[in-house]
Amino acid sequence: YYTYSTVSEGRGLFDILSRTVAPNSIAVLPFENLSSDEEQAYFSDGLAEDILNVLAQVPELQVTSRSSSFLFRERGLPIPEIGDRLGVANILEGSVRRVGDDLRITAQLVDARTEKYLTSESYDRKASDIFAVQDEISLAIVDALKLKLGIYIATPVIDAGTTNVEAHSQYLMGRFEFVKRTEDDLTTGLEQF
């Protein structure tokens, strides 16, 4: 554990925040959609959420919830500030570029205090291989954290749920709409489910 103090804007009377942060804590930010089709945002979000869910199964990791980490979409805040606000030592960020069935996924694990990359990888795959690439990224992140922390971390058991890519895509679209929580979006989400 390490302790740090920061001064953040807009926190009023209690401007100084002291927090103890576990070195095995991590937040998964929403992956940026770099596809020319804005409709692919559901896919980027779904990929990040699926990786978050795999990491959350690792008992040795403290994983920030999706609702907290996804608040930092497009805010343009520096990594140390995001880490401070979420109380984590590590940030996973990435991007997805999809053209037809071709995917390029980039994932970076960053030390939230120093902004140094712990690992950064690009994966060129077919959309039909999405389950394998999600597993590959999750396992690479666990391996990088093992090295950084110098501890044993159990390899997560990954349950893909389905191997039907179209069913998975419909599920991701439904979840993307569902979390917006408006009546129209809930209806659209249910239709996708």
Side-chain angles (χ1 to χ4, degrees), residues 20 33 54 85 105:
T20 301
N33 174 29
V54 170
R85 289 187 181 190
I105 300 167

Side-chain angles (χ1 to χ4, degrees), residues 163-179:
T163 57
N164 182 318
V165 174
E166 183 58 31
H168 185 66
S169 182
Q170 292 294 125
Y171 170 73
L172 292 179
M173 284 189 273
R175 193 168 61 188
F176 181 76
E177 295 298 329
F178 202 75
V179 298

Side-chain angles (χ1 to χ4, degrees), residues 7-188:
V7 177
S8 299
E9 295 177 20
R11 292 198 180 174
L13 181 60
F14 300 99
D15 282 341
I16 298 183
L17 171 69
S18 292
R19 182 182 297 176
T20 301
V21 176
N24 60 335
S25 57
I26 185 170
V28 179
L29 300 183
F31 280 27
E32 186 177 358
N33 174 29
L34 299 179
S35 304
S36 58
D37 181 3
E38 291 182 16
E39 293 294 316
Q40 291 298 314
Y42 79 90
F43 188 82
S44 301
D45 280 5
L47 177 63
E49 188 169 348
D50 286 342
I51 292 169
L52 184 153
N53 288 335
V54 170
L55 295 177
Q57 294 175 31
V58 179
E60 297 87 356
L61 297 179
Q62 295 179 15
V63 182
T64 299
S65 72
R66 177 201 186 278
S67 57
S68 294
S69 60
F70 274 44
L71 286 174
F72 292 92
R73 174 194 317 280
E74 301 175 18
R75 289 200 181 189
L77 297 175
I79 292 291
E81 187 170 345
I82 294 172
D84 173 39
R85 289 187 181 190
L86 292 174
V88 296
N90 305 285
I91 301 281
L92 178 66
E93 61 179 357
S95 63
V96 178
R97 188 174 294 131
R98 183 175 184 173
V99 178
D101 194 42
D102 295 323
L103 293 174
R104 170 165 285 170
I105 300 167
T106 303
Q108 301 95 16
L109 180 62
V110 183
D111 183 306
R113 291 172 297 152
T114 65
E115 294 187 83
K116 303 263 189 244
Y117 285 138
L118 301 172
T119 185
S120 179
E121 297 289 333
S122 289
Y123 305 85
D124 292 321
R125 300 289 191 278
K126 296 291 185 188
S128 56
D129 295 334
I130 188 58
F131 305 114
V133 77
Q134 286 174 186
D135 296 350
E136 191 176 343
I137 293 170
S138 300
L139 294 174
I141 297 309
V142 169
D143 285 344
L145 287 170
K146 283 180 188 180
L147 288 174
K148 176 190 176 192
L149 301 173
I151 62 171
Y152 172 77
I153 297 177
T155 301
V157 176
I158 299 169
D159 177 17
T162 183
T163 57
N164 182 318
V165 174
E166 183 58 31
H168 185 66
S169 182
Q170 292 294 125
Y171 170 73
L172 292 179
M173 284 189 273
R175 193 168 61 188
F176 181 76
E177 295 298 329
F178 202 75
V179 298
K180 294 178 186 176
R181 303 280 186 216
T182 68
E183 186 175 341
D184 289 342
D185 294 326
L186 290 171
T187 301
T188 303

